[in-house]
């Protein structure tokens, strides 16, 4: 069985530094804001799941785009 939470490393679209987020694999496609753990700026996270529940895309973008 797949764990419902997964750790992912992403690059901040502001400072370029990598930081770790926790993705809830049981919540389906979603968008939310999480602050960069390095520069504290708001990062818009877009998670897209396919019909089988597999994470197919994780986008990290600036909150002001």
């Amino acid at each position: 069985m797949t764990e419902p939470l997964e750790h992912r490393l992403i690059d901040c679209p502001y400072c370029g530094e990598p930081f770790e987020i926790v993705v809830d694999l049981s919540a389906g496609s979603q968008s939310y804001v999480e602050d960069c753990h390095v520069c504290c700026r708001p990062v818009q996270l877009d998670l897209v799941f396919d019909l089988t529940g597999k994470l197919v895309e994780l986008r990290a973008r600036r909150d002001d785009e």
Side-chain angles (χ1 to χ4, degrees), residues 2 6 8 25 28-29 47-58:
T2 303
E6 183 174 290
R8 292 283 180 114
L25 299 175
S29 296
L47 287 71
V48 179
F49 291 81
D50 66 13
L51 295 176
T52 66
K54 179 181 176 188
L55 180 64
V56 293
E57 187 173 5
L58 170 58

Side-chain angles (χ1 to χ4, degrees), residues 1-2 4 6-8 16 18 31 34 40 42:
M1 181 174 184
T2 303
E6 183 174 290
H7 294 264
R8 292 283 180 114
S31 293
E34 185 165 329
C40 300

